[in-house]
Amino acid sequence: MKKHIGIVVLWCLTLVFMVSCADKDIPAAANTFINKYFPQASVVLVAIDTDEDDGSNEYSVWLNDGTKIEFDMQGSMRKIARNKTGVPAAIMPTPITTYLKSHYPNDVVTKFSHKAYGYKVELSNDMDVRFSPKGKFLQIVD
């Protein structure tokens, strides 16, 4: 019984810590992005970590709706993951959303990220679709 109480207390302390992470912990540009595209969500956790691809530091931000967004140190969005409801189309360039609607109308965008070659889109069917910086289709990676 004491073990269960200890676990509950530890869980509550973790929850308090996560909720205490305020939007002020991230750059203003990141805060603006979150407020624009996720007005109903709130930030529950902010972490600064190193990007696997290029070794640069970045902010990882988790929202209470399950969304994870990675920002560079200036607050520009680099990657967004949203498995349940999908990445909002408004975040992506219009040519990308047009292409996806016509070629994958039944799939949801679960991840969207900026890459050196342009953009990478991961779909709910586990396909990766790559686009140029202007949103032109490049290739599909299964």
Side-chain angles (χ1 to χ4, degrees):
M1 182 67 171
K2 289 182 182 181
K3 182 178 178 182
H4 293 301
I5 292 173
I7 291 172
V8 170
V9 170
L10 182 61
W11 182 81
C12 289
L13 289 173
T14 303
L15 185 61
V16 167
F17 169 73
M18 289 174 64
V19 172
S20 69
C21 292
D23 294 353
K24 65 180 172 40
D25 295 337
I26 58 177
N31 219 356
T32 300
F33 180 91
I34 292 167
N35 291 332
K36 179 178 181 179
Y37 295 109
F38 305 98
Q40 303 301 320
S42 60
V43 174
V44 293
L45 183 63
V46 176
I48 297 177
D49 34 50
T50 303
D51 183 86
E52 299 169 1
D53 296 333
D54 62 11
S56 63
N57 285 336
E58 63 186 16
Y59 287 93
S60 292
V61 177
W62 287 266
L63 305 180
N64 65 340
D65 65 0
T67 303
K68 179 185 177 190
I69 310 169
E70 295 175 8
F71 296 97
D72 65 18
M73 295 306 284
Q74 289 73 41
S76 296
M77 192 274 300
R78 294 183 65 169
K79 181 177 182 180
I80 182 168
R82 198 167 197 227
N83 294 332
K84 292 181 182 177
T85 55
V87 174
I91 292 173
M92 298 177 283
T94 302
I96 294 176
T97 57
T98 301
Y99 179 90
L100 295 174
K101 282 180 187 176
S102 66
H103 291 85
Y104 303 99
N106 299 320
D107 292 304
V108 174
V109 175
T110 57
K111 292 181 184 172
F112 176 73
S113 55
H114 291 271
K115 297 292 184 181
Y117 56 79
Y119 299 99
K120 178 180 174 185
V121 175
E122 296 181 36
L123 301 173
S124 55
N125 66 3
D126 291 327
M127 290 186 92
D128 290 351
V129 186
R130 297 180 182 187
F131 297 89
S132 73
K134 293 189 179 202
K136 182 181 176 194
F137 169 76
L138 295 175
Q139 68 181 10
I140 295 173
V141 180
D142 287 329

